[in-house]
Amino acid sequence: MFEATFAAELARRIGSTVEVATDNNLIEGVLSSVTSNLVLVIEVNTGYNNLKQYISVDAINYVRFPAAA
């Protein structure tokens, strides 16, 4: 029920820097895409390798949008 509203709100913020917390991880990166079931966050490293993290919407505890420094 709430997942659809949550996914819709995240979809409005595609391209933003995010921190996504699950029970086991804190993933930081750029919000790349959102579906009703999955969120894709691209972790931007200092090198050339960017890591794609797919996260189930059900597994997300919270999402934070850090302010730019």
Side-chain angles (χ1 to χ4, degrees):
M1 179 167 102
F2 177 71
E3 290 88 1
T5 304
F6 183 53
E9 180 60 32
L10 288 176
R12 286 188 209 109
R13 296 174 179 251
I14 289 176
S16 301
T17 301
V18 294
E19 293 177 358
V20 179
T22 65
D23 287 343
N24 301 319
N25 294 313
L26 178 65
I27 301 155
E28 300 177 52
V30 176
L31 184 60
S32 180
S33 69
V34 177
T35 67
S36 60
N37 298 320
L38 290 174
V39 172
L40 173 59
V41 175
I42 307 291
E43 291 186 76
V44 180
N45 299 324
T46 56
Y48 291 102
N49 297 336
N50 295 331
L51 184 61
K52 294 180 181 179
Q53 293 285 333
Y54 290 93
I55 308 152
S56 173
V57 171
D58 294 339
I60 297 173
N61 292 333
Y62 72 86
V63 175
R64 188 171 89 85
F65 299 92

